[in-house]
């Protein structure tokens, strides 16, 4: 079986004649693979001449499908002639659009939160809160109930069950995950402070002394103190600055200790919680725990086992794409049954001697087809560098697919795709599923960092799309102009009537989102690609 440079095989008939032609093609094949390009001597891009110099701009076509956009001081758009695209008159919305039912999810969340607080209300007699001591103890009990509820919801969102992501959307899940993490820590700290202060008033002693007495006197409080320490550690390593200092594997391992927080915290609640023994509480908390546990087992154990038993993924080939970028082609059984879409990512664990114990999220860089999957990796450390040396036949353990960064989330007739760096991988795949008149803006620091240029331009021809490359440092005129209202409008005059898909470094994404909001692009038309947990 051959790996063509690019073929949209979803549109091709499944017949022996076609694939026989592919096997006889001069490209790399499974049975007789050609060696991948050297990392020190990447293949010459089709847009460079033999000496590696950038070819001169040829404005033969006023609307070139793919071209490097250059700033202009004479053209009204602010860009060199040919960088703009024609604006179609048809602005009909897509025939079908899908979005997560955020409102119902939010209502369910706050209904559960209100129910957990109501357990204290039902278990408290009228007039019981009458002085400072009883007020502090009541506040401690309420914040304890809130913390317990938030912990269950936090773990439910980490379960990776596919229905939850489809219902809410991966971007909202990530935002809520961060917000709930902060709220959970605040609730737990408030619970400790209020309870310790209330007991200190009762015992007529200091708050710190009383807290230490409680921890050392009651065995159940030791587990609560350990759970609190683990929660604080998770919160600290979740700060972006701290996270950037830690290896991904260590950060991920620390994050997984949240399961220990659940076990220790739930044991503490059941042992000493004053509001856990009521008739309704005996149903509510076990039911919430059972739902969370079932979601974790399904999303973390059953779904991955079924996926890998069914498809039996292996590495088929590793192909160099540029100086520090390579693609991994994945073979497997019944790939036509894989429930993946262009734009999604999966967590990949390559079962090598030195890498079997860690998994990383990589997006598909081509739309799934029945022959192979492809993910494209930019070397960013020791792990990714070792992946470039994998041999064909290496077993792969995968989880997913994840993400709602797909064409099905469109709300408008046309789309704008913006990519930077390794973010081109899902953008390249998405282009296969996008409608006519889609525009791709690809940001890179140097021409040799542009990958998939031939594929992008071939897809642009096939799908009546447009590709514009913005190349240079941040201070160069073209890149500096790109994420300004005039610059972006010059390239995409109808930008506020398009869905916008963004994937790239945080600086690029933040700059783009800020400019898009200045151009009155609604948040409902913005699609980001988060794959952080």
């Amino acid at each position: 079986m051959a790996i063509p440079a690019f073929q949209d095989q979803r549109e091709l008939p499944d017949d022996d004649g076609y694939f026989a032609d592919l096997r006889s093609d001069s490209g790399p094949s499974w049975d007789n693979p050609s060696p991948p390009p050297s990392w020190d001597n990447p293949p010459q891009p089709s847009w460079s001449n033999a000496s590696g110099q950038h070819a001169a701009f040829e404005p033969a076509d006023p609307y070139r499908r793919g071209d490097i956009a250059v700033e202009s001081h004479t053209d009204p758009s602010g860009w060199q002639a040919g960088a703009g695209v024609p604006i179609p008159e048809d602005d009909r919305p897509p025939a079908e659009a899908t979005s997560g039912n955020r409102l119902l999810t939010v209502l369910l969340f706050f209904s559960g939160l209100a129910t957990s607080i109501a357990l204290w209300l039902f278990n408290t007699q009228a007039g019981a809160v009458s002085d400072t001591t009883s007020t502090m103890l009541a506040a401690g009990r309420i914040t304890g109930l809130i913390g317990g509820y938030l912990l269950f919801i936090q773990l439910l969102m980490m379960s990776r069950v596919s229905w939850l992501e489809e219902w809410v959307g991966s971007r909202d899940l990530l935002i809520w995950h961060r917000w709930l993490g902060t709220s959970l820590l605040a609730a737990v700290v408030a619970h400790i402070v209020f309870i310790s202060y209330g007991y200190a008033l009762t015992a007529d002693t200091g708050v710190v002394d009383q807290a230490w007495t409680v921890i050392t006197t009651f065995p159940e409080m030791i587990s609560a103190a350990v759970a609190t320490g683990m929660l604080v550690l998770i919160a600290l390593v979740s700060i972006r600055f701290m996270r950037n200092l830690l290896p991904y594997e260590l950060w991920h391992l620390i994050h997984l200790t949240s399961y220990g927080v659940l076990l220790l915290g739930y044991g503490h609640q059941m042992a000493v919680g004053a509001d856990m023994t009521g008739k309704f509480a005996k149903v509510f908390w076990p039911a919430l725990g059972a739902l969370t546990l079932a979601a974790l087992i399904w999303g973390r154990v059953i779904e991955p086992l079924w996926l890998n038993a069914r498809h039996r993924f292996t590495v088929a080939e590793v192909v160099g794409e540029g100086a520090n970028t390579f693609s991994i082609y994945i073979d497997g059984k019944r790939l036509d049954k894989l429930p993946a879409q262009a734009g999604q990512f999966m967590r990949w664990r390559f079962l090598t001697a030195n890498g079997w114990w860690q998994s990383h999220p990589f997006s598909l860089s081509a739309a799934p087809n029945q022959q192979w999957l492809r993910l494209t990796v930019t070397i960013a450390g020791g792990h990714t560098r070792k992946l470039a040396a994998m041999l064909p036949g290496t077993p792969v353990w995968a989880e997913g697919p994840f993400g709602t960064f797909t064409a099905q989330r469109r709300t408008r007739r046309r789309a704008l795709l913006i990519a930077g760096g390794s973010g081109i991988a899902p953008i390249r795949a998405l282009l296969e599923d996008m409608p006519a008149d889609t525009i791709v803006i690809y940001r890179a620091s140097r021409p040799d960092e542009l990958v998939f240029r031939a594929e992008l331009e071939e897809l642009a021809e096939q799908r009546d799309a447009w590709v514009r490359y913005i190349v240079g440092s941040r201070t160069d005129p073209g890149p500096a102009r790109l994420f300004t209202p005039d610059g972006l409008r010059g390239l995409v005059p109808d930008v506020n009537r398009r869905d916008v898909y963004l994937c790239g470094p945080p600086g690029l994404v933040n700059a783009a989102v800020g400019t898009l909001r200045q151009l009155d692009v609604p948040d409902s038309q913005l699609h980001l690609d988060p794959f952080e947990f």
Side-chain angles (χ1 to χ4, degrees):
M1 182 180 68
I3 306 176
F6 163 67
Q7 289 284 352
D8 189 349
Q9 298 186 18
R10 297 167 302 163
E11 305 291 337
L12 296 171
D14 185 10
D15 65 86
D16 292 337
Y18 168 73
F19 291 105
D21 291 341
L22 285 184
R23 294 186 192 94
S24 63
D25 187 72
S26 60
S29 69
W30 305 135
D31 302 321
N32 185 27
S34 61
S38 167
W39 308 119
D40 300 322
N41 184 27
Q44 286 288 344
S46 60
W47 42 271
S48 299
N49 57 29
S51 63
Q53 299 296 320
H54 177 56
F57 175 69
E58 300 175 4
D61 182 357
Y63 294 114
R64 297 167 64 95
R65 290 293 174 183
D67 196 24
I68 293 180
V70 179
E71 186 190 33
S72 170
H73 296 290
T74 57
D75 192 279
S77 70
W79 299 95
Q80 183 175 343
V85 298
I87 304 176
E89 296 180 359
D90 183 13
D91 193 33
R92 293 173 300 173
E96 182 179 357
T98 307
S99 61
N101 197 329
R102 300 175 182 86
L103 178 58
L104 181 57
T105 305
V106 170
L107 290 176
L108 289 173
F109 168 78
F110 281 107
S111 296
L113 181 62
T115 301
S116 65
I117 296 174
L119 297 177
W120 167 82
L121 185 63
F122 295 151
N123 203 35
T124 303
Q125 297 181 353
V129 181
S130 56
D131 55 15
T132 303
T133 300
S134 58
T135 300
M136 292 297 102
L137 292 176
R141 290 166 60 185
I142 293 173
T143 51
L145 291 170
I146 293 173
Y149 176 76
L150 293 181
L151 179 59
F152 278 115
I153 300 301
Q154 186 76 307
L155 290 175
L156 181 62
M157 290 195 301
M158 291 175 59
S159 64
R160 296 180 183 168
V161 287
S162 54
W163 60 264
L164 183 60
E165 189 176 56
E166 279 293 319
W167 187 258
V168 178
S170 55
R171 182 188 178 191
D172 287 329
L173 271 181
L174 180 60
I175 294 172
W176 294 356
H177 175 73
R178 290 171 174 169
W179 179 80
L180 286 178
T182 303
S183 302
L184 171 60
L185 181 61
V188 170
V189 171
H191 169 68
I192 295 171
V193 171
F194 285 134
I195 288 293
S196 298
Y197 186 45
Y199 285 150
L201 291 176
T202 302
D204 195 21
T205 185
V207 176
V208 176
D209 292 339
Q210 183 62 33
W212 179 252
T213 300
V214 170
I215 293 174
T216 56
T217 302
F218 303 99
E220 299 84 1
M221 300 305 298
I222 297 176
S223 62
V226 172
T228 302
M230 294 167 64
L231 190 62
V232 171
L233 177 61
I234 294 171
L236 287 175
V237 301
S238 297
I239 300 173
R240 186 174 296 276
F241 170 75
M242 293 293 296
R243 179 174 178 176
N244 292 338
L245 295 177
L246 295 175
Y248 175 82
E249 295 79 13
L250 178 58
W251 173 87
H252 189 62
L253 180 62
I254 294 175
H255 223 61
L256 290 178
T257 59
S258 54
Y259 299 128
V261 176
L262 173 64
L263 293 175
L264 295 174
Y266 188 65
H268 162 72
Q269 273 191 314
M270 296 304 296
V272 301
D275 300 297
M276 307 295 289
T277 57
K279 183 182 298 185
F280 186 73
K282 289 182 178 179
V283 175
F284 176 77
W285 290 110
L288 184 58
L291 173 64
T292 304
L293 183 61
L296 286 169
I297 293 175
W298 183 265
R300 297 275 183 167
V301 179
I302 295 177
E303 280 190 338
L305 282 173
W306 170 252
L307 178 78
N308 289 275
R310 188 183 196 191
H311 298 292
R312 300 179 185 178
F313 301 108
T314 59
V315 172
E317 189 73 70
V318 179
V319 177
E321 302 286 0
N324 65 341
T325 304
F326 60 94
S327 289
I328 304 173
Y329 286 82
I330 304 294
D331 196 8
K333 307 294 184 182
R334 295 185 287 273
L335 292 182
D336 56 318
K337 303 297 184 182
L338 181 71
Q341 301 178 55
Q344 290 188 304
F345 69 94
M346 300 176 71
R347 301 191 70 90
W348 303 93
R349 188 186 303 271
F350 298 95
L351 304 182
T352 60
N354 53 15
W356 61 268
W357 51 276
Q358 53 185 315
S359 67
H360 287 259
F362 294 118
S363 296
L364 299 174
S365 61
N369 61 70
Q370 61 185 356
Q371 298 300 312
W372 43 261
L373 304 175
R374 186 180 72 181
L375 47 142
T376 300
V377 181
T378 298
I379 295 176
H383 176 69
T384 50
R385 188 174 301 278
K386 292 174 183 177
L387 294 181
M390 285 191 302
L391 298 176
T394 300
V396 182
W397 181 271
E399 296 180 47
F402 303 112
T404 53
F405 192 67
T406 63
Q408 287 189 352
R409 294 280 167 168
R410 287 192 301 115
T411 62
R412 305 293 293 182
R413 163 65 179 78
R414 297 189 295 279
L416 167 64
L417 313 181
I418 300 177
S422 59
I424 190 59
I427 293 295
R428 151 64 185 85
L430 266 178
L431 185 55
E432 296 188 50
D433 283 348
M434 285 296 165
D437 300 311
T438 292
I439 299 174
V440 178
I441 295 178
Y442 184 1
R443 175 76 176 89
S445 298
R446 303 189 311 272
D448 63 349
E449 291 182 355
L450 295 171
V451 297
F452 300 136
R453 179 160 185 179
E455 294 186 16
L456 289 168
E457 293 177 10
E458 183 178 348
L459 278 169
E461 290 289 347
Q462 291 177 1
R463 307 193 68 81
D464 198 19
W466 313 87
V467 185
R468 294 295 176 255
Y469 309 99
I470 309 297
V471 180
S473 67
R474 297 178 183 178
T475 57
D476 288 346
R481 176 180 175 77
L482 174 60
F483 293 126
T484 64
D486 290 339
L488 195 53
R489 191 187 293 112
L491 284 176
V492 192
D494 60 340
V495 61
N496 62 346
R497 290 185 289 161
R498 293 177 179 264
D499 280 285
V500 183
Y501 290 76
L502 298 120
C503 188
L508 179 144
V509 172
N510 293 336
V513 169
T515 303
L516 291 165
R517 285 175 174 162
Q518 292 182 56
L519 293 172
D520 298 324
V521 178
D523 284 352
S524 61
Q525 293 172 215
L526 299 180
H527 309 271
L528 277 68
D529 178 40
F531 45 87
E532 299 205 14
F533 63 92

